[in-house]
Amino acid sequence: RNKNLTFQINCRGRANLIDLNENLSGNLNLSGTIQNELDNSQVSLRLSNLTDGNYSLTQLNLLGTYRNGVFDVRTIQSVIPLFISAEYDMEHNRIQAQLKTEELHPTTILSSSKDKKAFARLKELVAHTDTSFSCDLSTKELDYSSTGRFDIPNELFKGGVVLNYKVAGDENAVSVSRFSAKGANCSADVNLELVFKTLQLSGLAE
């Protein structure tokens, strides 16, 4: 007979991180269904009002699933333009992850009760990024890439500046095929490649 476990846990907790000398508190909502043979099991986790007394994380919703030998965790149902996913394929012993933002204002995720002036300067900072990473744990082969743009306001850099970048690489080398900074008071372009084994660096900077 097939059986499964369905559960729901709602609590407010506090944790003391001794090594970091920090106290964390927040709300946790955990629910899900664990199937008898694990396949098609899923767990949802909602963290809200997570704080150390100064910095606060507004909310994070995660969904974890297990299907056909693959563990998967990703953000869900978020009004914040932030997407995070990670998975582990047991058969191929491979992990991969992705982080993506679309017109993300960091202050919509993180706030501070003591550093309000500093955070006010970050209000108009905007991030557009797409980063992916994969690793074969058996062969140690890596593959990673990231593209993005940061709109940095006048409050952080006089005249404002737009940063664009594109980075890709593996376990042998990393290439910065594009890095540019354009603003009222600066202009820079960089194209570089670094070979790890020989530490050979090549490219152009203007």
Side-chain angles (χ1 to χ4, degrees):
R1 181 181 176 183
N2 291 330
K3 296 181 179 180
N4 57 59
L5 172 66
T6 299
F7 61 91
Q8 181 168 344
I9 301 171
N10 301 314
C11 66
R12 178 168 180 80
R14 182 181 296 274
N16 183 13
L17 305 180
I18 297 176
D19 291 341
L20 300 177
N21 194 29
E22 293 286 352
N23 291 303
L24 296 178
S25 64
N27 298 323
L28 182 147
N29 303 89
L30 187 67
S31 62
T33 300
I34 306 299
Q35 303 292 343
N36 185 44
E37 297 182 355
L38 288 184
D39 210 34
N40 294 317
S41 296
Q42 68 175 39
V43 175
S44 63
L45 170 67
R46 177 183 178 186
L47 293 172
S48 58
N49 300 319
L50 187 64
T51 181
D52 66 351
N54 180 16
Y55 300 105
S56 299
L57 180 69
T58 54
Q59 184 173 303
L60 185 64
N61 299 324
L62 298 172
L63 176 66
T65 61
Y66 176 78
R67 292 187 180 92
N68 301 319
V70 177
F71 290 95
D72 181 273
V73 178
R74 62 186 60 231
T75 50
I76 57 169
Q77 299 175 347
S78 177
V79 296
I80 300 171
L82 169 67
F83 173 77
I84 302 171
S85 71
E87 72 171 46
Y88 171 59
D89 187 326
M90 295 180 64
E91 179 181 356
H92 299 97
N93 199 26
R94 187 176 186 85
I95 60 173
Q96 59 184 27
Q98 182 181 24
L99 186 150
K100 188 173 183 179
T101 65
E102 294 181 1
E103 295 188 21
L104 174 67
H105 293 258
T107 52
T108 62
I109 301 176
L110 194 65
S111 61
S112 173
S113 59
K114 297 179 181 178
D115 301 319
K116 291 183 178 180
K117 288 185 177 180
F119 269 69
R121 298 175 63 195
L122 296 174
K123 187 176 181 180
E124 299 304 319
L125 174 65
V126 185
H128 314 252
T129 63
D130 190 353
T131 301
S132 61
F133 167 86
S134 66
C135 176
D136 187 314
L137 298 178
S138 300
T139 64
K140 309 303 181 185
E141 293 179 341
L142 299 176
D143 185 64
Y144 48 90
S145 66
S146 183
T147 60
R149 187 182 91 232
F150 289 90
D151 300 334
I152 300 175
N154 181 66
E155 289 82 359
L156 292 176
F157 188 92
K158 188 175 181 180
V161 63
V162 176
L163 300 180
N164 281 279
Y165 74 91
K166 184 176 183 180
V167 179
D170 54 24
E171 71 278 8
N172 299 312
V174 60
S175 172
V176 181
S177 59
R178 181 178 73 244
F179 181 86
S180 68
K182 305 294 183 183
N185 296 301
C186 72
S187 178
D189 287 283
V190 176
N191 184 317
L192 296 172
E193 183 177 26
L194 174 65
V195 178
F196 298 134
K197 187 175 182 179
T198 61
L199 294 181
Q200 180 180 352
L201 181 66
S202 61
L204 297 171
E206 298 179 353

